[in-house]
Amino acid sequence: MMISFRAIAINTLLLSGSTVQSFTTIPSASCLAVARFQQPNSAASSSPTTRLHNNAPRHDVRGGEGMTREMDPEELKIQAALTEHQQNAPKLGFPTDVRTLIQYNHGFAVMSTNSKANPGFPGGSVVGFAPDDQGRPVFIFSGMSTHTQDLLADPRCSVTIASKEFKGAADGRVNLMGKVTLVPPEERDAMKEIYLAKHPGAFWVDFGDFNWFRMDEITDVRFVGGFARAGSVTPEEYKSAKPDPIAGF
């Protein structure tokens, strides 16, 4: 019989009539241990100090009294190899995490602009977007929208993007700060293709009063991956990172 313990916290434990008499730890990455179980004698079993209840069921250990089993050497080898692999496995890192979150987001974000109508106040809007191959958010906005007017007056803004499974503070989100400007005419067809891949039902992309925008200049990237996991990446790190392809499934 093999018993695995993650931590050894006691030397003697009363367990419904059976006493764990001793623990012998085996050096391994997963804190594997061998326990020697001993059935209580008749005097001990009738004593209230060794039984939680007079009629409590006993724990029997197959194999009889004084049974000791050591961990199979093959199992120890597997456990050690697994631990070594986990310690040495490459980590994705913040830049990849950020690019991955934005790439596989549901395609909507909160944009905060400098309000043209109310100087000194931020204007917030929920907007659709799609990232290009450099991670730059691409937008298409109506000329009548307040955020369009804000951007034409002052391109500085921030875009807050939550993970697609976002439900609360324990879930990931990214804030991109930068300048959002009009896309040059020769690049608009490419932007349309990128946007429709994320929003296939966006029939308004062909409306005459809608215009293509893109966050061409990203100046700051802040990331919160959940509790006790937050930081920032440089614009250069963000641009050079690639989304994790496995996260797309």
Side-chain angles (χ1 to χ4, degrees):
M1 176 181 178
M2 295 183 294
I3 301 176
S4 175
F5 295 86
R6 288 192 176 274
I8 303 302
I10 55 174
N11 290 322
T12 303
L13 172 68
L14 300 179
L15 240 187
S16 302
S18 293
T19 307
V20 181
Q21 294 288 67
S22 62
F23 291 90
T24 305
T25 58
I26 297 174
S28 79
S30 57
C31 298
L32 299 169
V34 174
R36 179 178 293 117
F37 285 82
Q38 190 175 59
Q39 290 293 332
N41 57 36
S42 58
S45 63
S46 62
S47 168
T49 61
T50 60
R51 297 294 298 272
L52 298 179
H53 302 284
N54 288 337
N55 297 318
R58 299 182 181 213
H59 272 300
D60 256 351
V61 180
R62 280 186 290 182
E65 296 183 8
M67 181 194 70
T68 302
R69 292 287 185 271
E70 291 190 358
M71 178 60 64
D72 188 318
E74 281 301 313
E75 177 67 18
L76 286 173
K77 217 163 126 185
I78 292 169
Q79 294 290 341
L82 176 62
T83 300
E84 182 181 2
H85 172 77
Q86 290 174 329
Q87 289 175 343
N88 298 326
K91 308 298 188 293
L92 293 178
F94 270 12
T96 300
D97 285 345
V98 171
R99 282 295 308 273
T100 300
L101 185 152
I102 290 175
Q103 184 69 33
Y104 303 116
N105 161 273
H106 40 58
F108 293 93
V110 174
M111 173 179 278
S112 299
T113 55
N114 291 305
S115 176
K116 179 183 176 183
N118 298 281
F121 288 89
S125 303
V126 175
V127 297
F129 81 97
D132 68 4
D133 59 357
Q134 297 181 40
R136 299 174 299 181
V138 173
F139 314 92
I140 184 163
F141 294 147
S142 166
M144 298 173 61
S145 299
T146 55
H147 48 265
T148 302
Q149 298 302 314
D150 293 345
L151 292 171
L152 292 174
D154 185 347
R156 294 175 301 170
C157 71
S158 76
V159 178
T160 301
I161 303 164
S163 62
K164 61 184 177 183
E165 63 276 357
F166 187 88
K167 287 184 173 58
D171 299 311
R173 59 270 196 195
V174 174
N175 180 261
L176 301 177
M177 298 178 70
K179 293 181 178 179
V180 172
T181 54
L182 285 164
V183 175
E186 64 273 15
E187 297 182 39
R188 290 173 187 169
D189 286 342
M191 297 304 101
K192 179 179 176 180
E193 185 177 344
I194 290 170
Y195 195 87
L196 287 175
K198 177 67 81 173
H199 302 277
F203 56 87
W204 53 89
V205 296
D206 292 319
F207 287 4
D209 63 335
F210 275 66
N211 301 281
W212 291 101
F213 288 82
R214 182 175 58 207
M215 185 176 272
D216 279 324
E217 185 182 333
I218 296 176
T219 58
D220 193 39
V221 182
R222 294 181 288 185
F223 172 60
V224 178
F227 291 122
R229 189 166 185 265
S232 62
V233 301
T234 66
E236 293 74 25
E237 288 172 330
Y238 175 77
K239 183 178 179 180
S240 61
K242 298 296 180 188
D244 176 14
I246 301 301
F249 294 94

